[in-house]
Amino acid sequence: APPKPQAPMKDTSAKLVNDAAHPWKPLAPADIRGPCPGLNTLASHGWLPRDGIASPSQIIEAVQEGFNMEYGLALFVTYGSHLVDGNLVTDRLSIGGKTSFTGPDPPAPAIVGGLNTHAVFEGDTSMTRADFFFGDNHDFNETLFDEFVDFSNRFGGGKYNFSVAAEHRFQRIQDSIATNPNMTFVSPRYFTAYAESVFPINFFVDGRLNTFELDLDVARGFFQDSRMPDGFFRANGSKSTEGIDFVAAQHPIEPGRNVNGINSYVVDPTSADFSTFCLLYENFVNQTVKGLYPNPTGALRDALDANLDYFFQGLTIFNGDGPGACVQVFPYGKD
Ligand code: HEM
Ligand code: MG
């Protein structure tokens, strides 16, 4: 079975991460990048393998070392995406498109398509990547970045901050409802969309600053070029989804989808929302993961059980183990 995740990183101070050992380099022909500017940047600076294929342990280490992402969130997001997008037997995940470099595929309906795979983890209403319906859900999109800039000018005095995040997140949802007939905005995408709207403030702002606002040139570097500014320091202390409640509260919207073409958004009461966080976990495991792996055997079954367990550990650290703690589910039994 795949190795246990390493212990949390101990020293969470701000420090130089665009250092001599981690220079930015342009892409080599076979290098893979995808929809996540955080992981793209870690790969282009060599905190992750530059080819864009990594194990969950490598990702968990890199997001802590390179950006000071909080350990529980790092586990939760990494194992969540690996379970649906990665090769569980070879312990390899593509941070972009499908590739034979992750090893031989398990039987269908498993996808092992990398982070570009639509609707299992990647989803609609991204800030700088278009909806899957429009043909490319992973490359930087200049038109969308221009809107990000416009919102930062209008609501943030030329910087991206939490007020901008709230207005822009709402706009991206409204845009998709009005233009994408297949628009879907249910768990887990419902949660990741709000989380990712605050990530640029929590992780792309230099750790020596306490401004909570992101310079737009710096933003372009990360989103477009997978590049840290010269002399960049990671966040000061581990960071997670700080600001998400503020962003979600400015323009509350319930999870749902367009059911009959554009402008036909209907709330989906079966989706988890902010008041039913554990349902995110339960539906993800019992429906999404089980749907991809209905009857696993042998090494595949062992790898699934191990990754599901690490995923639950991450959830428990992220969400807490007091009142409101989630209860582990075992889609393949407990033996
Ligand atoms: C988006 C995966 C860590 C910043 C995404 C997406 C995926 C992903 C699949 C695409 C979702 C979508 O927009 O449709 C992961 C995984 C991580 C991770 C598996 C492992 C821990 C990070 C870190 C940062 C980050 C450390 C910041 C330093 C972002 C941002 C977006 C995003 C800002 C939104 C991009 C946009 O909307 O244009 N991530 N991510 N991620 N990620 Fe990550
Ligand atoms: Mg997307």
Side-chain angles (χ1 to χ4, degrees):
K4 272 197 173 59
Q6 61 277 52
M9 180 179 78
K10 288 215 175 75
D11 173 7
T12 63
S13 60
K15 69 169 197 181
L16 180 70
V17 287
N18 187 2
D19 60 3
H22 301 91
W24 181 85
K25 288 187 189 170
L27 295 182
D31 290 351
I32 292 175
R33 297 292 179 268
C36 176
L39 299 182
N40 289 349
T41 298
L42 291 167
S44 286
H45 282 270
W47 284 102
L48 281 174
R50 291 182 186 269
D51 65 1
I53 315 290
S55 70
S57 302
Q58 286 175 318
I59 294 174
I60 289 159
E61 181 167 353
V63 298
Q64 292 180 96
E65 291 284 348
F67 283 119
N68 233 335
M69 182 179 264
E70 189 262 328
Y71 180 69
L73 177 64
L75 259 63
F76 185 58
V77 179
T78 302
Y79 286 108
S81 56
H82 185 55
L83 276 161
V84 293
D85 291 337
N87 188 315
L88 303 173
V89 173
T90 62
D91 207 35
R92 286 285 172 278
L93 171 68
S94 159
I95 67 169
K98 188 171 178 65
T99 164
S100 59
F101 293 130
T102 52
D105 276 348
I111 305 170
V112 192
L115 293 184
N116 288 359
T117 311
H118 179 58
V120 282
F121 201 91
E122 186 283 324
D124 291 335
T125 78
S126 301
M127 294 180 285
T128 67
R129 272 67 176 163
D131 287 1
F132 179 75
F133 173 78
F134 299 110
D136 181 349
N137 67 348
H138 49 275
D139 287 311
F140 176 81
N141 181 303
E142 183 62 48
T143 307
L144 288 177
F145 189 75
D146 290 347
E147 186 178 84
F148 180 95
V149 168
D150 178 49
F151 270 66
S152 300
N153 287 331
R154 282 161 56 196
F155 299 101
K159 311 258 187 185
Y160 183 79
N161 62 24
F162 290 124
S163 300
V164 179
E167 299 309 317
H168 186 242
R169 168 95 323 270
F170 185 63
Q171 181 67 42
R172 292 295 301 122
I173 296 166
Q174 299 308 312
D175 282 350
S176 286
I177 292 173
T179 58
N180 175 357
N182 298 343
M183 186 272 190
T184 163
F185 195 59
V186 296
S187 178
R189 179 57 189 155
Y190 181 73
F191 295 93
T192 61
Y194 285 100
E196 287 158 15
S197 283
V198 297
F199 282 178
I201 303 159
N202 297 340
F203 297 113
F204 294 161
V205 176
D206 192 290
R208 293 164 296 183
L209 305 172
N210 287 308
T211 52
F212 302 99
E213 53 181 26
L214 178 63
D215 185 277
L216 295 174
D217 294 330
V218 174
R220 182 185 283 279
F222 283 108
F223 281 109
Q224 180 170 27
D225 302 327
S226 310
R227 186 168 196 164
M228 299 174 180
D230 290 344
F232 182 71
F233 273 49
R234 72 180 187 193
N236 185 17
S238 64
K239 295 281 179 287
S240 174
T241 57
E242 289 83 355
I244 190 171
D245 294 344
F246 171 82
V247 169
Q250 297 312 298
H251 298 282
I253 179 161
E254 289 178 77
R257 62 174 65 74
N258 275 344
V259 294
N260 187 22
I262 60 168
N263 293 316
S264 64
Y265 191 82
V266 173
V267 170
D268 177 357
T270 68
S271 169
D273 64 20
F274 287 109
S275 68
T276 56
F277 184 68
C278 294
L279 190 60
L280 154 70
Y281 162 70
E282 289 159 24
N283 286 346
F284 188 78
V285 172
N286 286 331
Q287 294 170 17
T288 309
V289 176
K290 185 123 202 232
L292 294 170
Y293 296 98
N295 292 302
T297 57
L300 179 58
R301 156 95 198 258
D302 291 346
L304 271 159
D305 283 341
N307 280 287
L308 285 166
D309 201 44
Y310 306 152
F311 179 55
F312 180 74
Q313 287 177 31
L315 169 77
T316 301
I317 297 166
F318 174 68
N319 189 45
D321 57 5
C326 305
V327 177
Q328 189 164 10
V329 293
F330 297 91
Y332 308 113
K334 271 189 175 185
D335 56 315

